Amino acid sequence: MYQVDLKKPDGRKLFLYSNRPIPSGIEPTNPEGPGNKAEPHMRWHPLRGEWVTFASHRQGRTFLPPKDYSPLAVTKTKDFPTEMPQGDYEVAVFENLFPSFRLGATSAPELSVPTKPAEATCEVVVFSKDADETLGQLSVERIRLILEVIGQRSKALGEEQKIKYVLPFENRGVEMGVTLHHPHGQIYSYPFVPPVPERMMTEMKKHWDQTGNGLYAQMIEDEIKDGRRLIHREKGAVAFVPPCARYPYETWVSPERPVSYLSDLSLDELDSLARTLKTVILKHDGLWDRPQPYLLVMYQAPYDGEKHPEAHVHFQIYPPYRTKDRLKYLAGTELGAGTYINDSIPEEKAAELRDIVVAPFGLGEN
């Protein structure tokens, strides 16, 4: 992996990556926005025991622009600078122009509940210069590069003293709240371990203390042995619909070897993981012969200075559709009680995905 570190005219960081050497002389560009001047803050929710972040400047962020006017398109003229400079590179990462968290934020109001500046980071990961390519349509080689980048950026962010957790994710489709169609993901870091991964880590630690084995590794072993919910398996990587799926087509993808962080995987393991991710996304797209909206989120161990042998890095994919034309809405019991109701059976949905045939592809093929 080749990398070039740059700084945008407004002072935000820009990182360029490629599987081939990146020529020198690339000039960073940026559109106008709050950037390094944003002042997000957090307020404590006393009933839920968790932080809520407030970033009112995000109301003005770019919303579903035409493809030629996307801030994630490559800059064509100096009159319309975008986030993407001209040059020979494959993947770009930069600090969000409208951040929900910002290292260096200094202000928070005095209220009846505890408050503090939202000091962490929000980075954008642009997968491709081509606005029409989805993650599943990219070559295995490009997906592997993206995984390398996510692992490297997660590790770098985790070395910041104030960062305790790093969460990479991709929102795909307007159904999932996408405001820019150009293929991209995001890497959020937090000055605390957020409630969802915190709860998962608690259960993983409990299982580890009781058995000396990883909880997620046990689930993989059980799914391979059972086979009914298995979707795809490569050498070193596996994908399945979990028996506890909260969404009809929810899918988990992971390396088989338990590692705490994505950066712990070898290139061969990243290659297998990239193949599995690509296969799974193409199977989802093949369900109804259209791009499947989803939230794809990656869970890993906290960056708290402790060792976490109980952790097992993995991806969870949440598609919002329960049928071709019906969305799974989060309503009273999900939002009000935190208890999910699944209107389908995981074994049946796994069989549907497993039966989708994906054409063979090589390392550099789309």
Side-chain angles (χ1 to χ4, degrees), residues 311-333:
H312 195 133
V313 67
H314 68 282
F315 293 84
Q316 295 189 14
I317 302 174
Y318 309 131
Y321 279 95
R322 54 189 175 92
T323 68
K324 183 177 182 178
D325 53 6
R326 294 182 182 178
L327 286 165
K328 157 71 175 173
Y329 288 103
L330 299 187
T333 186

Side-chain angles (χ1 to χ4, degrees), residues 37-44 51-56 100-102 104-119 191:
K37 299 177 182 178
E39 288 290 344
H41 70 275
M42 302 186 299
R43 304 182 184 190
W44 183 249
W51 289 104
V52 180
T53 300
F54 295 81
S56 59
S100 303
F101 296 90
R102 186 178 70 83
T106 57
S107 64
E110 292 187 11
L111 301 171
S112 59
V113 295
T115 66
K116 60 172 65 176
E119 288 194 89

Side-chain angles (χ1 to χ4, degrees), residues 65-196:
K67 188 162 52 177
D68 291 341
Y69 292 92
S70 170
L72 302 187
V74 174
T75 296
K76 294 179 180 178
T77 69
K78 292 183 178 180
D79 295 332
F80 187 73
T82 71
E83 297 283 22
M84 299 282 284
Q86 295 181 358
D88 185 10
Y89 59 92
E90 296 180 82
V91 174
V93 178
F94 50 85
E95 294 174 297
N96 200 314
L97 188 61
F98 297 90
S100 303
F101 296 90
R102 186 178 70 83
L103 283 176
T106 57
S107 64
E110 292 187 11
L111 301 171
S112 59
V113 295
T115 66
K116 60 172 65 176
E119 288 194 89
T121 60
C122 296
E123 295 185 345
V124 178
V125 184
V126 181
F127 302 151
S128 170
K129 296 176 185 176
D130 187 340
D132 296 320
E133 280 189 310
T134 66
L135 183 60
Q137 292 171 336
L138 296 173
S139 68
V140 174
E141 187 178 36
R142 176 66 63 84
I143 297 173
R144 186 183 66 190
L145 174 64
I146 292 168
L147 293 176
E148 280 190 82
V149 168
I150 290 172
Q152 187 249 37
R153 288 305 305 146
S154 293
K155 185 176 181 180
L157 292 170
E159 290 173 354
E160 293 281 352
Q161 186 177 3
K162 294 182 178 180
I163 303 304
K164 303 304 179 188
Y165 197 82
V166 179
L167 186 84
F169 62 91
E170 181 199 5
N171 295 321
R172 173 172 155 181
V174 293
E175 296 89 342
M176 303 308 295
V178 160
T179 57
L180 297 172
H181 284 302
H182 196 110
H184 70 286
Q186 300 182 65
I187 304 175
Y188 269 42
S189 71
Y190 303 83
F192 53 86
V193 181
V196 171

Side-chain angles (χ1 to χ4, degrees), residues 258-262 264 299-303 307-313:
V259 297
S260 301
Y261 304 101
L262 190 64
D264 292 337
Y299 292 109
Q300 55 190 340
Y303 287 92
K307 291 189 180 298
H308 291 282
E310 74 277 15
H312 195 133
V313 67

Side-chain angles (χ1 to χ4, degrees), residues 241-286:
V241 174
C244 51
R246 297 177 300 166
Y247 291 81
Y249 294 97
E250 181 176 334
T251 306
W252 295 3
V253 180
S254 67
E256 290 191 21
R257 182 169 71 94
V259 297
S260 301
Y261 304 101
L262 190 64
S263 57
D264 292 337
L265 292 175
S266 68
L267 287 179
D268 285 343
E269 288 173 314
L270 287 174
D271 183 70
S272 293
L273 187 58
R275 289 177 182 276
T276 302
L277 270 174
K278 179 178 175 69
T279 299
V280 165
I281 293 172
L282 291 177
K283 280 180 174 288
H284 276 279
D285 290 350

